[in-house]
Amino acid sequence: MSTVIVVTSGKGGVGKTTTSAAFATALALRGHSTVVVDFDVGLRNLDLIMGCERRVVYDFINVINEEGNLNQALIKDKRVENLYILPASQTRDKSALTQVGVTRVMEALKERFEYIVCDSPAGIEHGAQMAMYFADVALIVTNPEVSSVRDSDRIIGMLASKTLRAEQSLDPVKEHLIISRYVPGRVNKGDMLSADDVQDILAIPLLGVVPESDAVLKASNEGVPVTFQEDSDAGQAYHDITARFVGEDRPQRFIQEQKGFFSRLFHHP
């Protein structure tokens, strides 16, 4: 049984592609056959973060237009068994994502993979709607700021009304919240919404918090999903998120501010 997961948010720059790459990699590292699909036609960043940009010959739109087949377009990750990437096109626009064509590709992917992770473009236009249309599960990525949370709330409304599950009166898309770029110190100063604040506004279960981390930028520049940096806080956060997703019970981390050595040494209860 295949599960289609959309990684989405209304706002750009919140960490959707980082999350798509890290989450898909963590699933594959756990032995699940996984493909991550780039719906961001015209920009195409997923292959950069996955470190396979030089290996792109055929892409998602080529397959939709039957200019190449799925085997030609799928790129096997060199580091992880069971992980493949379906890149987007840089030379087309999002109108090339036809519903008939995307349906055909998604059905073919469902025959081959346990998890299909769809990396959505920013906004609520055609590409984003197409990315969420086939979803069974949504990972809604938001930063702890009012504009980002407000845009995510709009996406939640669309998931309830503009998906295949909604059209066919099936069980609704299962929603999970991921809060990215979280800084507990700024939360404590009132400069940033708390995880509880975000949950109260969006009213969906929290899958995990990803702290603001230099490791994310470093990993992106190196073309390596941050999941491989298991000694980094962000890498650990994505492993925690994936573990919770597959049913493991792990306590939430990275929500409380970590006290430094001297702060702990001179703290008096």
Side-chain angles (χ1 to χ4, degrees):
M1 185 70 178
S2 187
T3 301
V4 180
I5 303 162
V6 63
V7 180
T8 184
S9 76
K11 191 173 171 62
V14 301
K16 286 187 298 295
T17 301
T18 294
T19 297
S20 297
F23 181 73
T25 300
L27 284 171
L29 286 168
R30 287 173 161 267
H32 300 286
S33 61
T34 304
V35 60
V36 55
V37 183
D38 192 349
F39 275 80
D40 203 354
V41 175
L43 290 179
R44 200 180 89 185
N45 289 317
L46 180 66
D47 53 298
L48 289 170
I49 290 179
M50 298 295 292
C52 63
E53 70 278 7
R54 294 179 184 175
R55 297 168 60 198
V56 177
V57 178
Y58 292 92
D59 58 49
F60 193 5
I61 303 303
N62 292 138
V63 182
I64 287 173
N65 292 339
E66 299 183 317
E67 299 160 346
N69 63 43
L70 190 58
N71 278 333
Q72 290 174 301
L74 284 171
I75 300 172
K76 187 179 187 304
D77 191 273
K78 291 181 176 180
R79 299 154 297 206
V80 190
E81 281 295 320
N82 304 316
L83 179 60
Y84 287 78
I85 300 96
L86 182 56
S89 170
Q90 277 185 312
T91 59
R92 315 287 179 96
D93 62 40
K94 292 175 176 60
S95 64
L97 291 168
T98 64
Q99 187 154 319
V100 170
V102 175
T103 299
R104 190 179 68 250
V105 175
M106 295 300 286
E107 289 303 317
L109 292 173
K110 285 180 181 180
E111 293 177 6
R112 294 182 56 168
F113 295 99
E114 186 177 351
Y115 289 111
I116 302 164
V117 178
C118 302
D119 181 28
S120 173
I124 58 171
E125 303 307 325
H126 179 72
Q129 290 188 32
M130 195 60 67
M132 73 172 65
Y133 182 74
F134 299 92
D136 302 307
V137 179
L139 304 185
I140 297 162
V141 184
T142 187
N143 294 158
E145 58 179 54
V146 171
S147 63
S148 182
V149 174
R150 181 188 61 198
D151 289 348
S152 293
D153 204 19
R154 190 169 183 188
I155 290 293
I156 290 169
M158 292 175 65
L159 286 165
S161 59
K162 289 184 172 290
T163 63
L164 183 63
R165 284 181 165 272
E167 286 180 4
Q168 297 183 349
S169 300
L170 301 173
D171 289 340
V173 175
K174 190 172 183 179
E175 297 159 341
H176 297 282
L177 174 63
I178 295 175
I179 304 175
S180 60
R181 307 193 71 173
Y182 197 79
V183 185
R186 292 187 63 194
V187 172
N188 293 341
K189 292 176 184 175
D191 297 336
M192 188 174 272
L193 296 174
S194 71
D196 286 341
D197 291 334
V198 177
Q199 272 192 283
D200 287 345
I201 296 166
L202 297 181
I204 59 175
L206 178 65
L207 192 59
V209 168
V210 182
E212 180 75 82
S213 174
D214 292 339
V216 172
L217 179 60
K218 182 174 184 288
S220 297
N221 287 339
E222 292 176 353
V224 177
V226 73
T227 322
F228 286 114
Q229 298 185 7
E230 294 188 45
D231 57 341
S232 72
D233 47 5
Q236 292 171 31
Y238 280 115
H239 279 292
D240 284 354
I241 284 166
T242 309
R244 292 187 199 103
F245 181 83
V246 299
E248 288 185 21
D249 185 15
R250 289 200 183 183
Q252 292 287 350
R253 296 195 283 169
F254 311 111
I255 293 177
Q256 302 302 322
E257 188 171 12
Q258 297 297 307
K259 300 295 185 183
F261 173 76
F262 288 105
S263 175
R264 294 195 303 270
L265 186 65
F266 294 107
H267 175 67
H268 297 286

